Amino acid sequence: MLDRISDKFTDVIRSISGQARISEKNIEDAVEEIKIALLEADVNLRVVRRFVNRTIQEAKGDAVLKAVSPSQQFIKIINDRMVQLLGDTRQELQLKGPDTTSVILLYGLQGSGKTTTSVKLALELKNQGRRPMLAAADLVRPAAIQQLMILGEQHGIPVVADEKAKDPSKVAKSALQRAKKEQFDVLIVDTAGRMQADLDLMKELQGIKKVVDPVEALLVADAMTGQAAVDIAKTFHDQIGLTGVILTKFDSDTRGGAALSIKSITDQPIKYIGTGEKITDIEPFYPERIASRILG
Ligand code: GDP
């Protein structure tokens, strides 16, 4: 997880922290190394430029050059900038109280991990004392309904599904009615993906969103696809509106480009990360923790 980018940053930090005094040239050299590390990590070019400019500007101020411990001060600036790239603070799900049903819509391209993530999230919320229900509104991928029903059953989460249904909005709407009637306080709707974010998909998702009025509309994006994940997040946010992102396959992502670009490019926070194939492999996303993992 983030091994490659972390190795690079650890080298930079090590070279700075050994120095009793820091010159402007030291700062420029270190920032150049950081720039290369971020570009190799597949971080969006605009984001890299902004990061580099702000870091240089701040580091060349008196706070670093005249500090008692300039290297520590410089490292702190790098850390703070990194946390900022990752989204500053932890963003919780905006769920309503247990007396109402909060709807969470999950979007994503095929293979991003959407169906697995629906159940992961349901289980995570169940473990927090919520009563989640799942709705199978992915009517495109042939095995999606079965997959959700099997996983739901294995983990004690009820699934609303209709294998003959043709209209995903109707599935979502009747699932919400049932969830309300049976007093489930969270309804997680697994929607259909496509190979790409085409017009057809956007229309379908807009339709579902309209009938269930979700408190969260989360994009499930594959971290391993780097900038493609960021582009997809931007498209989904522009077309249907997101409230956040779940980055899957974080366990296999050595570079970190998607995690480091999504907030700056879409202004949407990463709320969870998928960290493996098991149903319990999901973690809340904490920008500070990921930054310290990268900086070593
Ligand atoms: P969907 O087409 O978006 O519904 O994708 P699926 O939920 O079927 O997942 C596609 C594949 O990705 C499956 O083999 C999952 O086990 C795998 N997967 C999902 N999330 C993660 C994750 O966080 N880490 C890893 N390593 N694999 C994942």
Side-chain angles (χ1 to χ4, degrees):
M1 201 185 286
L2 305 176
D3 296 340
R4 220 167 347 141
I5 182 168
S6 177
D7 286 349
K8 299 263 177 199
F9 267 86
T10 311
D11 284 349
V12 178
I13 300 290
R14 201 176 296 135
S15 73
I16 302 166
S17 57
Q19 299 178 22
R21 298 186 59 191
I22 285 194
S23 65
E24 292 204 357
K25 172 87 171 58
N26 295 142
I27 290 172
E28 280 160 15
D29 290 348
V31 172
E32 185 57 29
E33 291 293 314
I34 288 173
K35 182 175 160 187
I36 294 168
L38 291 173
L39 289 173
E40 283 180 4
D42 195 24
V43 176
N44 179 283
L45 187 60
R46 240 174 55 216
V47 177
V48 175
R49 285 212 189 103
R50 215 178 309 149
F51 182 94
V52 163
N53 290 341
R54 286 191 186 160
T55 307
I56 289 196
Q57 204 178 10
E58 218 177 316
K60 281 189 175 174
D62 287 352
V64 170
L65 297 176
K66 294 190 178 160
V68 180
S69 172
S71 57
Q72 288 313 309
Q73 193 62 30
F74 185 28
I75 292 166
K76 183 175 180 307
I77 290 172
I78 298 171
N79 181 69
D80 291 351
R81 289 269 153 255
M82 193 62 112
V83 172
Q84 191 184 35
L85 272 196
L86 291 160
D88 279 322
T89 49
R90 158 100 189 114
Q91 299 293 311
E92 305 275 350
L93 294 180
Q94 304 295 308
L95 299 181
K96 297 182 209 157
D99 297 337
T100 19
T101 307
S102 302
V103 177
I104 302 176
L105 280 188
L106 292 188
Y107 306 133
L109 297 191
Q110 251 176 43
S112 60
K114 202 167 26 60
T115 304
T116 321
T117 303
S118 307
V119 186
K120 283 182 175 181
L121 190 60
L123 194 61
E124 169 87 1
L125 294 174
K126 187 179 169 193
N127 291 338
Q128 289 171 17
R130 291 277 179 169
R131 284 194 79 220
M133 179 178 247
L134 286 157
D138 178 354
L139 308 182
V140 173
R141 186 160 64 87
I145 297 179
Q146 277 297 322
Q147 187 187 349
L148 197 69
M149 281 165 61
I150 293 168
L151 285 174
E153 189 168 335
Q154 278 171 355
H155 301 281
I157 318 270
V159 178
V160 180
D162 174 359
E163 285 179 278
K164 293 202 187 76
K166 296 261 180 318
D167 180 352
S169 294
K170 281 194 185 147
V171 174
K173 193 174 172 183
S174 69
L176 178 57
Q177 281 164 351
R178 211 180 120 190
K180 281 181 175 164
K181 198 162 139 225
E182 298 178 23
Q183 293 172 348
F184 287 89
D185 59 3
V186 181
L187 178 70
I188 299 175
V189 183
D190 180 26
T191 64
R194 298 281 196 281
M195 296 312 283
Q196 57 200 25
D198 56 30
L199 201 62
D200 229 29
L201 175 62
M202 294 303 157
K203 275 202 184 133
E204 176 174 321
L205 298 177
Q206 280 159 355
I208 300 176
K209 192 175 179 205
K210 213 161 144 191
V211 295
V212 293
D213 189 21
V215 294
E216 290 282 353
L218 302 172
L219 178 75
V220 177
D222 178 345
M224 286 175 71
T225 62
Q227 281 319 289
V230 182
D231 293 342
I232 291 160
K234 179 140 179 46
T235 305
F236 272 79
H237 186 51
D238 291 348
Q239 303 275 334
I240 19 182
L242 298 176
T243 57
V245 176
I246 299 182
L247 262 191
T248 58
K249 309 185 195 180
F250 210 70
D251 48 300
S252 312
D253 180 27
T254 58
R255 304 203 293 171
L260 287 161
S261 313
I262 277 182
K263 180 66 172 45
S264 304
I265 297 295
T266 65
D267 199 31
Q268 290 307 303
I270 298 167
K271 295 201 167 173
Y272 282 91
I273 44 176
T275 54
E277 293 200 66
K278 290 202 305 292
I279 277 316
T280 48
D281 290 335
I282 184 165
E283 290 175 19
F285 184 79
Y286 287 96
E288 315 85 58
R289 289 186 199 167
I290 302 297
S292 54
R293 208 175 276 176
I294 292 172
L295 297 184

